[in-house]
Amino acid sequence: MQRVIDEMAKAKNDVERRLRQYIPEIIRECMAFGYLKKNFTFDVSDLSDRVNARLIALSDAILDDIESRAKWAISYAEEEDDEEAILLYIKRKIGEEDIVQRLDKHCSTLRYFLEGWIAIGMVNKLKEYELTNNILSYIDNPFASPLWQEAFNAGYYSTAIRSRGYSYGKGNQRNVLSALTEIERYAINEAFQYGRLLHYGKTGAIGYIIHRGSSYDCPHCDSNCGFVIPLNDIRLPQHNRCVCWSEPIFSQ
Ligand SMILES: [Zn+2]
């Protein structure tokens, strides 16, 4: 389990690296429209399509990272034979959305804020790297940035600025970095946990027991420990931060 936790711990860096790669690419696409300044939006010429193409590439790149770390998790679960099935499992629909739709949703949130950020960058004559650093510094909440506070009263066209965030999608996580990181972490953990259960099945186990992997207070995780669970009842990970692990049970 520790090796999987180590793999999960790399998710934030993966996502940040991808954002540092793709945000400047999107800024560059917008350069030709720098003269629009406060009037800048993505709805000019074919810019919107080009920005969307870069965001899809970002989402794809994160999915690639997820799959390559999930493959490590599958090898730690000693279940390489079922790699393909496990990768399909982690990409399955949870609720209404599969993994690509979940990634795309957060990339759309990024788009919403980027449009405002890029207009602010044009008005303040920020260099590409300065703007990228600003975006990442305030990724948890762009509205907290002094540049955004200044922009709110300056008559910008961008939806996010004009509406002061009121048009922001309900139920969406504002922090794109942490939202994307959670998806990656969870998928890596799922690949390992599901792989373990498949592996137990092949070794003749009749079920499994869950053990807590950390001591932080979690009544939900506690309530699933200490009794035998059938192998087809997949309960791990129990939530985003869960680091519980399983042990196979064989009949006496
Ligand atoms: Zn847990």
Side-chain angles (χ1 to χ4, degrees):
M1 185 69 204
Q2 189 52 48
R3 287 184 297 178
V4 181
I5 294 172
D6 292 344
E7 215 57 46
M8 288 158 65
K10 294 171 189 163
K12 189 176 180 192
N13 267 332
D14 285 348
V15 174
E16 191 165 349
R17 188 169 52 93
R18 294 306 190 178
L19 291 175
R20 285 198 180 276
Q21 176 185 355
Y22 285 90
I23 288 173
E25 286 188 15
I26 294 170
I27 296 172
R28 255 168 264 151
E29 294 279 9
C30 303
M31 287 301 204
F33 306 99
Y35 62 90
L36 289 171
K37 297 201 172 87
K38 282 192 293 190
N39 295 336
F40 174 79
T41 70
F42 289 145
D43 294 318
V44 51
S45 178
D46 63 344
L47 184 60
S48 188
D49 290 342
R50 285 190 282 131
V51 168
N52 290 344
R54 299 323 301 152
L55 289 169
I56 289 168
L58 167 65
S59 173
D60 287 348
I62 294 171
L63 186 59
D64 283 349
D65 292 341
I66 291 173
E67 289 196 0
S68 62
R69 296 217 183 277
K71 285 178 186 171
W72 281 110
I74 293 165
S75 76
Y76 300 148
E78 299 172 80
E79 199 50 33
E80 290 94 329
D81 294 350
D82 281 318
E83 186 179 276
E84 218 164 303
I86 297 170
L87 291 178
L88 280 176
Y89 172 76
I90 65 172
K91 291 190 260 183
R92 77 195 182 287
K93 265 192 176 178
I94 300 176
E96 300 281 289
E97 298 161 329
D98 64 21
I99 199 164
V100 172
Q101 290 167 310
R102 282 180 283 139
L103 292 170
D104 287 349
K105 179 176 71 185
H106 299 299
C107 289
S108 300
T109 304
L110 179 65
R111 185 190 198 281
Y112 173 82
F113 289 119
L114 268 183
E115 186 184 69
W117 270 120
I118 291 172
I120 287 171
M122 288 169 175
V123 168
N124 291 280
K125 298 189 168 57
L126 298 180
K127 297 197 170 65
E128 184 185 298
Y129 75 91
E130 292 172 321
L131 182 54
T132 304
N133 286 341
N134 262 301
I135 293 168
L136 286 163
S137 301
Y138 288 96
I139 195 97
D140 59 328
N141 182 14
F143 305 133
S145 148
L147 288 170
W148 276 70
Q149 290 300 321
E150 194 181 285
F152 281 148
N153 299 313
Y156 280 74
Y157 270 39
S158 149
T159 313
I161 300 174
R162 195 159 32 88
S163 66
R164 295 167 173 254
Y166 294 140
S167 60
Y168 176 71
K170 64 171 174 3
N172 280 355
Q173 275 170 271
R174 193 177 280 181
N175 188 335
V176 172
L177 173 59
S178 79
L180 294 170
T181 301
E182 296 266 281
I183 293 175
E184 180 165 335
R185 281 175 50 96
Y186 192 74
I188 294 166
N189 200 356
E190 280 202 308
F192 177 73
Q193 303 297 352
Y194 184 51
R196 284 315 280 165
L197 296 192
L198 293 176
H199 184 71
Y200 299 159
K202 289 177 188 167
T203 56
I206 54 155
Y208 68 105
I209 277 192
I210 294 176
H211 298 282
R212 292 292 309 268
S214 77
S215 53
Y216 72 85
D217 191 40
C218 179
H220 183 71
C221 289
D222 283 344
S223 72
N224 281 285
C225 291
F227 54 90
V228 180
I229 300 165
L231 291 177
N232 61 6
D233 183 358
I234 306 166
R235 296 200 189 184
L236 291 180
Q238 316 216 32
H239 53 81
N240 276 340
R241 315 298 295 180
C242 179
V243 289
C244 292
W245 54 279
S246 65
E247 182 189 9
I249 299 296
F250 299 91
S251 61
Q252 261 89 39

